[in-house]
């Protein structure tokens, strides 16, 4: 789906930010770093908001090759929501436990999706995104642990579903699309790649955040298909607030560490 010329620009931008991350000593508003990160051996887990960092990410997020399939799935209107660029260094801890994006940012309706862009070949060994097909039609699972938002679902709640999970793999330039309520996860990388996966999230224009605020002009400036509306479409769907959170938690890695510190693979709450 993504032309080689764009992939080259994406890889060049990634190289610049990987180099820049060498000077960071801890996670910040730009980088999420693995505990083993050093200047000599950078272990960047996530570049936050890449669309704000380099034009190539912003241009791709607004391109027809991404927005058109999103529009088909969102009934014609599309608002860009956010982006992130995740990495899987082979000797870093970057596992993501089972979760639903909906638990992080509920809206008035769930016409919301994420497009994954595979910037390098993605194989089963590189820690690809794993999804449970059909789970977007099921329940919203508990993502809290001991009263705090952990951003993950206990494995024992999904014992009957996990065997049906599938890896989203493909050659560089492929894309994946998953619904905001789809259960998904990813393992650590065991290959020699850093597995950069660009995730671009979109919502229908009439899907309004339930528990957040925006500058209205900026919010509407992100509309890529359709016109601004002032009445959100309300649907009878389950919502749990992603609160309270551990102080200082600024990423899914921080959230999941709430339970990961004293459990192994989220065996139960």
């Amino acid at each position: 789906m993504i032309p080689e010329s764009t992939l080259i620009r994406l890889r060049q931008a990634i190289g610049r930010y990987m180099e820049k991350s060498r000077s960071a000593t801890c996670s910040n508003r730009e980088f999420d770093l693995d505990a083993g990160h050093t200047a000599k051996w950078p272990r960047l887990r996530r570049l936050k908001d890449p669309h704000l960092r380099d034009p190539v990410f912003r241009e791709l997020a607004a391109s027809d090759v991404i927005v058109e399939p999103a529009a088909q799935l969102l009934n014609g209107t599309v608002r860009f929501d956010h982006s992130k660029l995740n990495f899987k260094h082979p000797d870093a801890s970057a596992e993501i436990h089972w979760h639903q994006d909906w638990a992080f940012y509920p809206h008035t309706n769930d016409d919301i999706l994420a497009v994954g862009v595979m910037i390098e070949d993605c194989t089963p060994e590189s820690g690809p995104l794993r999804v449970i097909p059909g789970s977007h039609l099921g329940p919203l699972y508990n993502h809290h642990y001991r009263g705090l938002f952990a951003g993950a679902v206990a494995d024992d709640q999904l014992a009957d579903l996990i065997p049906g999970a599938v890896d989203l793999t493909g050659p560089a330039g492929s894309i994946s699309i998953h619904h905001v309520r789809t259960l998904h996860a990813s393992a650590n990388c065991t290959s020699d790649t850093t597995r950069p996966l660009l995730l671009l999230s979109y919502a229908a224009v009439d899907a309004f955040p339930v528990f957040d605020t925006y500058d209205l002009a900026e919010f509407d400036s992100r509309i890529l298909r359709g016109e601004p509306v002032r009445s959100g479409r309300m649907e009878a769907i389950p919502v749990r607030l992603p609160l309270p959170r551990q102080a200082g938690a600024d990423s899914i890695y921080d959230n999941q560490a709430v339970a990961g510190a004293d459990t192994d693979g989220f065996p139960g709450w």
Side-chain angles (χ1 to χ4, degrees):
M1 295 289 288
I2 310 302
E4 182 63 25
S5 59
T6 301
L7 291 175
I8 290 172
R9 291 181 62 205
L10 289 168
R11 292 170 189 148
Q12 290 171 340
I14 287 170
R16 291 192 294 271
Y17 282 97
M18 194 68 72
E19 188 64 26
K20 183 180 179 181
S21 73
R22 292 178 186 271
S23 62
T25 57
C26 62
S27 297
N28 54 37
R29 296 180 67 87
E30 188 172 22
F31 301 123
D32 193 300
L33 306 176
D34 178 67
H37 172 85
T38 65
K40 184 177 181 181
W41 302 107
R43 294 295 178 266
L44 177 59
R45 289 190 299 200
R46 172 175 290 176
L47 176 64
K48 302 175 183 179
D49 301 314
H51 69 285
L52 300 178
R53 313 294 175 194
D54 192 282
V56 66
F57 300 113
R58 185 167 59 253
E59 292 166 9
L60 182 59
S63 68
D64 286 343
V65 71
I66 299 293
V67 178
E68 185 54 36
Q72 292 178 31
L73 292 167
L74 296 174
N75 295 313
T77 70
V78 180
R79 188 194 309 269
F80 174 76
D81 191 70
H82 69 276
S83 71
K84 46 188 173 276
L85 178 58
N86 291 345
F87 300 90
K88 298 274 189 180
H89 293 268
D91 56 351
S93 176
E95 179 182 10
I96 297 291
H97 296 280
W98 291 106
H99 67 284
Q100 296 164 296
D101 292 339
W102 183 250
F104 289 78
Y105 40 87
H107 282 58
T108 57
N109 65 71
D110 63 358
D111 273 351
I112 305 170
L113 55 79
V115 180
V117 178
M118 303 176 199
I119 299 172
E120 296 180 1
D121 294 344
C122 192
T123 69
E125 295 74 31
S126 57
L129 196 66
R130 304 193 74 206
V131 300
I132 297 179
S135 57
H136 67 295
L137 300 175
L140 169 63
Y141 288 86
N142 178 23
H143 288 64
H144 284 69
Y145 178 72
R146 296 184 177 176
L148 289 176
F149 181 70
V153 181
D155 285 358
D156 59 4
Q157 294 187 53
L158 308 176
D160 295 336
L161 298 178
I162 291 176
V166 297
D167 290 342
L168 302 185
T169 59
S174 302
I175 69 170
S176 65
I177 305 177
H178 68 271
H179 187 268
V180 71
R181 287 173 59 183
T182 299
L183 284 159
H184 58 290
S186 63
N188 285 322
C189 175
T190 59
S191 68
D192 59 357
T193 178
T194 59
R195 200 228 63 175
L197 179 69
L198 176 64
L199 289 164
L200 305 168
S201 293
Y202 302 89
V205 169
D206 60 2
F208 290 174
V210 169
F211 199 76
D212 212 338
T213 58
Y214 292 99
D215 173 85
L216 185 59
E218 189 279 331
F219 189 55
D220 285 343
S221 74
R222 292 191 253 127
I223 295 175
L224 301 172
R225 296 281 193 282
E227 299 297 328
V229 296
R230 296 294 175 261
S231 179
R233 175 166 47 92
M234 306 291 294
E235 293 187 357
I237 46 182
V239 166
R240 289 174 60 96
L241 296 182
L243 298 170
R245 300 196 183 196
Q246 180 168 269
D250 190 43
S251 75
I252 190 171
Y253 305 102
D254 298 334
N255 295 139
Q256 295 193 349
V258 167
D262 61 352
T263 67
D264 182 13
F266 294 84
W269 291 157

